[in-house]
Amino acid sequence: MNEIEPALDATAAGERLAAVEQRIGQAAQAAGRSLDAVKLVAVGKTFQAGAIEPLIAAGQRRFGENRVQEAQAKWPKLRAKYPDLELHLIGPLQSNKVADAVALFDVIETVDREKIARAIAKEIDRTGKRLQLFVQVNTGEEPQKSGVLPADMQGFVALCRDELDLPIEGLMCIPPLDEEVGLHFALLAKLAARAGLGNLSMGMSADFETAIRFGATHVRIGTALFGPRGQG
Ligand SMILES: *Cc1c(COP(=O)(O)O)cnc(C)c1O
């Protein structure tokens, strides 16, 4: 069978969640870290609310989406039903979506340029919304990827924190596909320590155990929880 399952039933969702949590726990333990040091962000992108809800029913509360518009279409309803959800934006943010993103998300992991940082600051001032922010770092210095360059990270974080008074709490990265991920995770950890930031969002289905070894506090996992994505 190579059909893509459009939705998870409750049992399958619970089993996949338990399996992923167990692997996170084992990796944390092996790294000498406490079990609650690593938070699971379940990435529901491309999946409908009907596929996500069984995971919520199984106890998962923290979710990630990479598109503002897609998230707006499915999360307000789930939110109304489960008020204690925590929603992370993990995809690039455009200026014209900042107001929507600030309204919908609890955590924006992809602050990556001055224009966006200023727009978020303005929106927080206007609405009083409480948010957690991460700066995305382009650790591989890939031209097509978003994120501030490692060399610019300190200056950018200083601008965000000191001038704009933004609640920057961590760094996030997506390593290049074809490189040793550990090098990128180590770099992100080093940059965060240098900036005095305690949170590291790094690691996906294929490499989250490595990320945990290098200090990830947030792992963003889609496929291992939901199965393969369709066209989306
Ligand atoms: C899709 C996505 C993930 C999850 O990827 P999987 O390999 O399915 O676990 C994590 N982070 C970001 C930024 C993503 O876009």
Side-chain angles (χ1 to χ4, degrees):
M1 291 260 304
N2 50 18
E3 260 173 43
I4 293 171
E5 288 277 317
L8 289 177
D9 66 41
T11 316
E15 280 169 5
R16 285 188 190 178
L17 178 61
V20 166
E21 282 176 339
Q22 189 180 17
R23 285 172 62 190
I24 291 173
Q26 281 166 351
Q29 210 164 18
R33 306 179 57 206
S34 75
L35 291 186
D36 56 7
V38 185
K39 298 186 168 102
L40 169 61
V41 181
V43 179
K45 66 186 187 198
T46 78
F47 288 94
Q48 307 282 323
I52 291 171
E53 193 166 358
L55 217 59
I56 303 174
Q60 177 63 22
R61 286 295 179 272
R62 190 178 297 104
F63 288 86
E65 289 286 343
N66 70 335
R67 287 185 183 164
V68 177
Q69 221 162 352
E70 182 187 338
Q72 277 181 310
K74 59 190 179 190
W75 284 100
K77 245 191 220 149
L78 290 168
R79 265 253 149 95
K81 198 164 165 188
Y82 306 93
D84 57 340
L85 295 177
E86 179 181 300
L87 208 52
H88 291 229
L89 178 64
I90 61 169
L93 182 54
Q94 310 303 327
S95 308
N96 63 350
K97 290 281 173 9
V98 166
D100 290 340
V102 168
L104 180 64
F105 290 92
D106 304 291
V107 183
I108 296 176
E109 297 199 12
T110 49
V111 182
D112 65 351
R113 58 197 190 276
E114 183 172 340
K115 189 176 174 197
I116 288 295
R118 289 191 184 279
I120 292 173
K122 210 167 137 188
E123 200 54 27
I124 288 178
D125 281 347
R126 196 178 70 78
T127 60
K129 172 78 187 263
R130 291 184 56 180
L131 267 182
Q132 254 192 321
L133 302 173
F134 287 58
V135 168
Q136 182 174 354
V137 182
N138 186 355
T139 58
E141 309 194 16
E142 296 171 279
Q144 81 285 8
K145 202 167 267 176
S146 7
V148 300
L149 295 175
D152 299 336
M153 188 277 312
Q154 284 275 58
F156 183 68
V157 169
L159 167 84
C160 290
R161 283 200 297 213
D162 305 339
E163 187 184 329
L164 303 176
D165 205 20
L166 286 175
I168 303 288
E169 311 207 344
L171 300 181
M172 177 270 209
C173 78
I174 308 168
L177 280 177
D178 51 355
E179 287 182 27
E180 178 58 46
V181 290
L183 295 174
H184 295 273
F185 296 154
L187 173 60
L188 198 72
K190 195 173 87 178
L191 293 170
R194 194 179 291 164
L197 295 168
N199 289 297
L200 290 170
S201 174
M202 55 191 197
M204 322 203 304
S205 291
D207 54 23
F208 68 86
E209 280 132 329
T210 306
I212 290 170
R213 183 145 47 83
F214 283 96
T217 59
H218 293 71
V219 290
R220 310 177 307 266
I221 298 179
T223 312
L225 289 168
F226 291 99
R229 285 181 286 274
Q231 303 314 314

